[in-house]
Short mmCIF file of all heavy atoms in Angstrom, two decimals:
data_model
loop_
_atom_site.label_atom_id
_atom_site.label_comp_id
_atom_site.label_asym_id
_atom_site.label_seq_id
_atom_site.Cartn_x
_atom_site.Cartn_y
_atom_site.Cartn_z
N PHE V 166 -39.18 -55.39 44.02
CA PHE V 166 -38.51 -56.59 44.49
C PHE V 166 -37.31 -56.81 43.62
O PHE V 166 -37.25 -56.30 42.53
CB PHE V 166 -39.53 -57.73 44.41
CG PHE V 166 -40.68 -57.60 45.47
CD1 PHE V 166 -41.87 -57.23 45.03
CD2 PHE V 166 -40.41 -57.79 46.79
CE1 PHE V 166 -42.95 -57.09 45.96
CE2 PHE V 166 -41.40 -57.70 47.73
CZ PHE V 166 -42.66 -57.34 47.30
N PRO V 167 -36.33 -57.64 44.19
CA PRO V 167 -35.11 -57.86 43.45
C PRO V 167 -35.31 -58.34 41.99
O PRO V 167 -36.14 -59.12 41.70
CB PRO V 167 -34.45 -58.98 44.28
CG PRO V 167 -34.92 -58.74 45.63
CD PRO V 167 -36.41 -58.33 45.47
N LYS V 168 -34.62 -57.64 41.09
CA LYS V 168 -34.62 -57.97 39.71
C LYS V 168 -36.02 -57.80 38.98
O LYS V 168 -36.26 -58.46 38.01
CB LYS V 168 -34.08 -59.39 39.46
CG LYS V 168 -32.60 -59.47 39.90
CD LYS V 168 -32.06 -60.82 39.51
CE LYS V 168 -30.54 -60.81 39.95
NZ LYS V 168 -29.92 -62.15 39.59
N GLN V 169 -36.83 -56.98 39.58
CA GLN V 169 -38.15 -56.67 39.05
C GLN V 169 -38.31 -55.19 38.76
O GLN V 169 -37.53 -54.41 39.21
CB GLN V 169 -39.27 -57.21 40.00
CG GLN V 169 -39.32 -58.70 40.07
CD GLN V 169 -40.57 -59.15 40.82
OE1 GLN V 169 -41.58 -58.49 40.95
NE2 GLN V 169 -40.46 -60.39 41.33
N SER V 170 -39.39 -54.87 38.07
CA SER V 170 -39.60 -53.44 37.78
C SER V 170 -40.33 -52.83 38.93
O SER V 170 -40.56 -53.50 39.94
CB SER V 170 -40.55 -53.46 36.54
OG SER V 170 -40.74 -52.10 36.14
N LEU V 171 -40.72 -51.62 38.76
CA LEU V 171 -41.37 -50.91 39.90
C LEU V 171 -42.84 -51.19 39.90
O LEU V 171 -43.49 -51.29 38.87
CB LEU V 171 -41.20 -49.38 39.62
CG LEU V 171 -39.95 -48.72 40.22
CD1 LEU V 171 -38.68 -49.15 39.42
CD2 LEU V 171 -40.02 -47.15 40.15
N MET V 172 -43.35 -51.32 41.10
CA MET V 172 -44.74 -51.57 41.27
C MET V 172 -45.41 -50.34 42.04
O MET V 172 -44.97 -50.00 43.20
CB MET V 172 -45.07 -52.81 42.07
CG MET V 172 -46.55 -53.25 42.12
SD MET V 172 -46.84 -54.63 43.25
CE MET V 172 -46.77 -53.76 44.86
N LEU V 173 -46.39 -49.66 41.45
CA LEU V 173 -46.93 -48.51 42.05
C LEU V 173 -47.76 -48.99 43.24
O LEU V 173 -48.63 -49.88 43.09
CB LEU V 173 -47.80 -47.76 41.06
CG LEU V 173 -48.60 -46.49 41.63
CD1 LEU V 173 -47.55 -45.40 42.03
CD2 LEU V 173 -49.50 -45.92 40.52
N MET V 174 -47.56 -48.35 44.39
CA MET V 174 -48.37 -48.63 45.57
C MET V 174 -49.57 -47.65 45.68
O MET V 174 -50.66 -48.03 45.99
CB MET V 174 -47.56 -48.64 46.83
CG MET V 174 -46.40 -49.63 46.84
SD MET V 174 -45.41 -49.43 48.28
CE MET V 174 -46.53 -49.92 49.60
N ALA V 175 -49.23 -46.35 45.60
CA ALA V 175 -50.19 -45.30 45.85
C ALA V 175 -49.78 -44.00 45.31
O ALA V 175 -48.61 -43.75 45.13
CB ALA V 175 -50.45 -45.20 47.36
N THR V 176 -50.85 -43.18 45.10
CA THR V 176 -50.60 -41.77 44.59
C THR V 176 -50.87 -40.90 45.92
O THR V 176 -51.94 -40.99 46.44
CB THR V 176 -51.51 -41.39 43.51
OG1 THR V 176 -51.28 -42.28 42.51
CG2 THR V 176 -51.30 -40.02 43.04
N SER V 177 -49.94 -40.04 46.23
CA SER V 177 -50.05 -39.20 47.37
C SER V 177 -50.32 -37.79 46.90
O SER V 177 -49.55 -37.17 46.14
CB SER V 177 -48.70 -39.25 48.14
OG SER V 177 -48.63 -38.29 49.18
N ASN V 178 -51.47 -37.25 47.36
CA ASN V 178 -51.91 -35.87 47.01
C ASN V 178 -51.84 -34.97 48.21
O ASN V 178 -52.42 -35.29 49.20
CB ASN V 178 -53.27 -35.89 46.41
CG ASN V 178 -53.32 -36.72 45.13
OD1 ASN V 178 -52.65 -36.41 44.08
ND2 ASN V 178 -54.08 -37.79 45.13
N GLU V 179 -51.22 -33.85 48.07
CA GLU V 179 -51.04 -32.95 49.21
C GLU V 179 -52.42 -32.42 49.67
O GLU V 179 -53.20 -32.01 48.85
CB GLU V 179 -50.14 -31.73 48.75
CG GLU V 179 -49.78 -30.77 49.89
CD GLU V 179 -50.81 -29.61 50.02
OE1 GLU V 179 -51.53 -29.31 49.07
OE2 GLU V 179 -50.90 -29.05 51.10
N GLY V 180 -52.62 -32.61 50.95
CA GLY V 180 -53.84 -32.10 51.57
C GLY V 180 -55.05 -33.04 51.39
O GLY V 180 -56.19 -32.65 51.82
N SER V 181 -54.91 -34.16 50.80
CA SER V 181 -56.06 -35.04 50.67
C SER V 181 -55.56 -36.53 50.87
O SER V 181 -54.39 -36.85 50.97
CB SER V 181 -56.75 -34.94 49.34
OG SER V 181 -55.85 -35.30 48.33
N LYS V 182 -56.49 -37.41 50.94
CA LYS V 182 -56.17 -38.86 51.13
C LYS V 182 -55.46 -39.45 49.90
O LYS V 182 -55.74 -39.08 48.79
CB LYS V 182 -57.43 -39.63 51.40
CG LYS V 182 -58.11 -39.30 52.72
CD LYS V 182 -59.32 -40.24 52.99
CE LYS V 182 -59.94 -39.95 54.32
NZ LYS V 182 -61.13 -40.82 54.58
N ALA V 183 -54.54 -40.41 50.24
CA ALA V 183 -53.81 -41.02 49.22
C ALA V 183 -54.74 -41.99 48.43
O ALA V 183 -55.77 -42.48 48.95
CB ALA V 183 -52.70 -41.81 49.78
N THR V 184 -54.44 -42.23 47.18
CA THR V 184 -55.16 -43.14 46.32
C THR V 184 -54.33 -44.43 46.14
O THR V 184 -53.25 -44.43 45.72
CB THR V 184 -55.47 -42.61 44.89
OG1 THR V 184 -56.23 -41.39 45.04
CG2 THR V 184 -56.29 -43.56 44.13
N TYR V 185 -54.82 -45.55 46.70
CA TYR V 185 -54.08 -46.78 46.72
C TYR V 185 -54.39 -47.65 45.46
O TYR V 185 -55.58 -47.72 45.00
CB TYR V 185 -54.40 -47.59 48.04
CG TYR V 185 -53.78 -46.89 49.19
CD1 TYR V 185 -54.54 -45.90 49.87
CD2 TYR V 185 -52.60 -47.32 49.71
CE1 TYR V 185 -53.95 -45.27 50.96
CE2 TYR V 185 -52.02 -46.71 50.87
CZ TYR V 185 -52.81 -45.71 51.49
OH TYR V 185 -52.17 -45.07 52.53
N GLU V 186 -53.35 -48.39 45.00
CA GLU V 186 -53.57 -49.27 43.91
C GLU V 186 -54.27 -50.56 44.41
O GLU V 186 -54.24 -50.88 45.62
CB GLU V 186 -52.25 -49.66 43.24
CG GLU V 186 -51.61 -48.50 42.53
CD GLU V 186 -52.45 -47.92 41.46
OE1 GLU V 186 -52.73 -48.63 40.51
OE2 GLU V 186 -52.82 -46.71 41.50
N GLN V 187 -54.91 -51.25 43.46
CA GLN V 187 -55.62 -52.52 43.99
C GLN V 187 -54.55 -53.46 44.49
O GLN V 187 -53.49 -53.69 44.07
CB GLN V 187 -56.21 -53.14 42.64
CG GLN V 187 -57.13 -54.26 42.98
CD GLN V 187 -57.93 -54.70 41.66
OE1 GLN V 187 -57.60 -54.27 40.55
NE2 GLN V 187 -58.87 -55.56 41.83
N GLY V 188 -55.01 -54.07 45.63
CA GLY V 188 -54.18 -55.05 46.36
C GLY V 188 -53.29 -54.41 47.41
O GLY V 188 -52.63 -55.20 48.12
N VAL V 189 -53.18 -53.12 47.47
CA VAL V 189 -52.36 -52.51 48.53
C VAL V 189 -53.19 -52.12 49.68
O VAL V 189 -54.20 -51.38 49.50
CB VAL V 189 -51.64 -51.30 47.89
CG1 VAL V 189 -50.82 -50.59 48.95
CG2 VAL V 189 -50.78 -51.65 46.70
N GLU V 190 -52.83 -52.61 50.85
CA GLU V 190 -53.60 -52.32 52.08
C GLU V 190 -53.36 -50.94 52.56
O GLU V 190 -52.31 -50.61 53.05
CB GLU V 190 -53.27 -53.36 53.12
CG GLU V 190 -53.59 -54.84 52.70
CD GLU V 190 -53.12 -55.74 53.82
OE1 GLU V 190 -53.59 -55.61 54.98
OE2 GLU V 190 -52.23 -56.62 53.57
N LYS V 191 -54.38 -50.06 52.58
CA LYS V 191 -54.17 -48.70 53.03
C LYS V 191 -54.03 -48.62 54.54
O LYS V 191 -53.39 -47.68 54.95
CB LYS V 191 -55.40 -47.93 52.56
CG LYS V 191 -56.74 -48.30 53.23
CD LYS V 191 -57.92 -47.41 52.74
CE LYS V 191 -59.19 -47.75 53.38
NZ LYS V 191 -60.27 -46.87 53.00
N ASP V 192 -54.51 -49.63 55.30
CA ASP V 192 -54.27 -49.55 56.78
C ASP V 192 -52.90 -50.04 57.14
O ASP V 192 -52.44 -49.85 58.25
CB ASP V 192 -55.34 -50.39 57.41
CG ASP V 192 -56.71 -49.81 57.21
OD1 ASP V 192 -56.92 -48.63 57.15
OD2 ASP V 192 -57.69 -50.55 57.25
N LYS V 193 -52.24 -50.80 56.21
CA LYS V 193 -50.95 -51.20 56.47
C LYS V 193 -49.86 -50.22 55.97
O LYS V 193 -48.82 -50.05 56.68
CB LYS V 193 -50.64 -52.64 55.81
CG LYS V 193 -49.35 -53.13 55.99
CD LYS V 193 -49.20 -54.56 55.64
CE LYS V 193 -47.88 -55.11 55.96
NZ LYS V 193 -47.62 -55.10 57.46
#
Side-chain angles (χ1 to χ4, degrees):
Chain V
F166 292 107
K168 299 188 177 182
Q169 293 188 21
S170 186
L171 276 66
M172 184 188 80
L173 179 65
M174 298 176 67
T176 303
S177 172
N178 298 296
E179 187 267 338
S181 63
K182 291 183 179 180
T184 303
Y185 290 82
E186 294 300 300
Q187 191 172 7
V189 178
E190 298 176 57
K191 62 179 181 180
D192 295 329
K193 179 168 185 61

